[in-house]
Amino acid sequence: MLILGSGPAGLSAAIYGARAGMKPILVQGIQPGGQLMTTTDVENYPGFADVIQGPWLMEQMQKQAEHVGTTLIWDTIVDVDLTQRPFRMTGDGGDVYEGDVLVIATGAQAKWLGLDSEEAMKGKGVSACATCDGFFYRGKKVAVIGGGNTAVEEALYLTNHSDDVTLIHRRNELRAERILQERLFKSDKIKVLWNKQVERFVGGGNPEGLVALELKDTQTGDTSTLDVEGGFVAIGHHPATELFRGHLSLDDDGYIAVETGSTRTSVAGVFACGDVMDKTYRQAVTAAGTGCMAALDAERFLGEMEADIAEAAE
C-alpha cells in the first residue's frame, strides 16, 4: 500500500494499513505532519484532557505508524502513473515507488492574504480556522476577513464564543450562498464592514498578540483602524491535487471526487482521504477518520481482487 501525505489522514491510513498486513509505504512530501505542524495549541482532539501541541501530536502519530510497521520515506513526488497496477509514483530524485493500492492524503492549504504582518502574527491572534481556534477568543472582539461561504460560516460560528464579530469584505456584496447571508444579517452579534481590505495586522501587549487591524477603503483609499484580539482569514483553501489533475476526477473546486460514503476515487484501487477530498469539515479528527476509512476500503479492494484471481484460477 502506497500512501502520499503524512498528516492525520495519511498516518491513520498507515496505522490501519499496517495492522491489516498491507505493508504501507508512506511518502511524507513537502510538509511532513501536515497543517498541524504549524498549529500550537490543540484542544479539540479526542483523548487529551489538557491542551496539546500540534507538532507533538503528529510526532506521536508518526511513531505509532512506524511501530506497527509503516515504512516512512522522505521524498517529494513529481509524477504518478495510475494507468496500470501496480501504481507508480516518481520522486524528484528519480526513485520510483510502487503499490497495489494508493491512498492520497496530500491535504489542503489555507489561502492567506500574503502580508508580512500576517506571517508574523500567525498563532498570535491570526488564524485561518475559527472552528479550530475560536474557543481561545471567548468574550473577545474578533474579525473575519472574506466574503464567501467560508467567511460567513466562520463568522456565524464565532458568535458561539464572541458577542462582537466583524466581517470584513473588500467588495459591497457577499459571494456566500443566500441562506448563509440571511443568517448572517439576522445575527445581532455580527457587523459587516464593506469595501475594506486589511493592510496590516498590528501586534502589541506582553506577550505580543494581535491588538488591531489597519484597514483601507477599496473605493476611497481612506485608512482606519479596528481594534480586535482575533483575526480569522477565510478566503478559501488550495487542495494539493495538481499532481493528480488529468489522472483522477476532481470537483469544481479542485478537490478529489470520491464516492458518497467512501474514499473510492474515479480509479479503482486509488483512495483519497483528509482535506484533499473534504472541503466541509477540515478537522484533524475527521481527517484521521477518513484515513481509517481509506485503509479499510483498500483492504476490502485487495481482498476482492485476490478472490477474483482465485476464482479465475479455478
Side-chain angles (χ1 to χ4, degrees):
M1 179 163 106
L2 283 181
I3 303 169
L4 181 56
S6 56
L11 288 170
S12 295
I15 291 165
Y16 275 81
R19 287 175 57 83
M22 288 189 283
K23 302 177 182 178
I25 297 173
L26 187 150
V27 183
Q28 302 194 68
I30 254 172
Q31 187 181 1
Q35 294 184 70
L36 275 179
M37 295 302 291
T38 60
T39 303
T40 51
D41 294 343
V42 176
E43 202 167 28
N44 58 3
Y45 198 87
F48 301 96
D50 297 322
V51 176
I52 58 173
Q53 301 298 300
W56 177 85
L57 178 60
M58 298 318 302
E59 178 186 356
Q60 294 302 305
M61 284 191 185
Q62 179 178 316
K63 287 181 178 179
Q64 184 178 5
E66 289 181 297
H67 177 73
V68 293
T70 301
T71 299
L72 296 180
I73 303 291
W74 291 77
D75 204 347
T76 301
I77 300 302
V78 296
D79 189 39
V80 296
D81 182 0
L82 308 182
T83 60
Q84 58 186 344
R85 212 167 27 247
F87 303 118
R88 293 165 59 92
M89 300 194 304
T90 305
D92 61 1
D95 289 336
V96 176
Y97 310 96
E98 294 186 339
D100 295 304
V101 289
L102 170 64
V103 173
I104 302 168
T106 47
Q109 295 292 329
K111 296 178 183 178
W112 295 93
L113 300 176
L115 304 172
D116 291 340
S117 58
E118 175 185 59
E119 186 65 32
M121 296 305 296
K122 285 180 182 177
K124 300 177 181 178
V126 174
S127 169
C129 182
T131 313
C132 311
D133 301 326
F135 180 78
F136 299 112
Y137 298 90
R138 287 171 295 173
K140 297 181 179 181
K141 189 174 181 178
V142 297
V144 177
I145 299 103
N149 285 350
T150 300
V152 174
E153 289 170 350
E154 300 264 274
L156 289 166
Y157 174 80
L158 285 168
T159 60
N160 295 317
H161 304 294
S162 171
D163 293 335
D164 194 339
V165 180
T166 302
L167 181 69
I168 300 168
H169 187 41
R170 60 183 177 175
R171 299 187 177 90
N172 60 1
E173 62 180 0
L174 300 173
R175 293 176 286 107
E177 296 172 1
R178 185 60 55 188
I179 190 170
L180 287 174
Q181 294 192 40
E182 291 173 357
R183 289 177 57 200
L184 178 87
F185 296 135
K186 284 180 181 178
S187 175
D188 59 2
K189 297 181 180 181
I190 304 173
K191 62 177 177 289
V192 181
L193 290 182
W194 303 104
N195 301 314
K196 297 289 191 295
Q197 66 183 30
V198 176
E199 293 286 286
R200 189 165 77 95
F201 294 89
V202 182
N206 186 21
E208 184 181 23
L210 184 69
V211 295
L213 304 177
E214 287 187 2
L215 306 176
K216 180 180 180 180
D217 192 293
T218 57
Q219 293 187 331
T220 66
D222 294 341
T223 58
S224 58
T225 300
L226 177 68
D227 293 335
V228 294
E229 294 177 83
F232 295 87
V233 180
I235 56 176
H237 287 73
H238 286 297
T241 54
E242 197 58 41
L243 188 63
F244 301 100
R245 194 172 296 277
H247 300 279
L248 293 171
S249 294
L250 308 179
D251 70 11
D252 292 340
D253 297 313
Y255 290 79
I256 295 178
V258 296
E259 293 180 24
T260 302
S262 83
T263 61
R264 293 188 293 270
T265 71
S266 57
V267 174
V270 179
F271 308 90
C273 55
D275 288 8
V276 77
M277 49 73 79
D278 169 26
K279 57 186 175 184
T280 303
Y281 301 103
R282 296 195 298 265
Q283 300 297 301
V285 67
T286 51
T290 56
C292 164
M293 290 169 59
L296 296 177
D297 285 343
E299 182 184 11
R300 188 174 298 113
F301 173 83
L302 288 176
E304 292 171 353
M305 187 174 69
E306 290 171 358
D308 291 342
I309 292 173
E311 184 177 337
E314 292 175 359

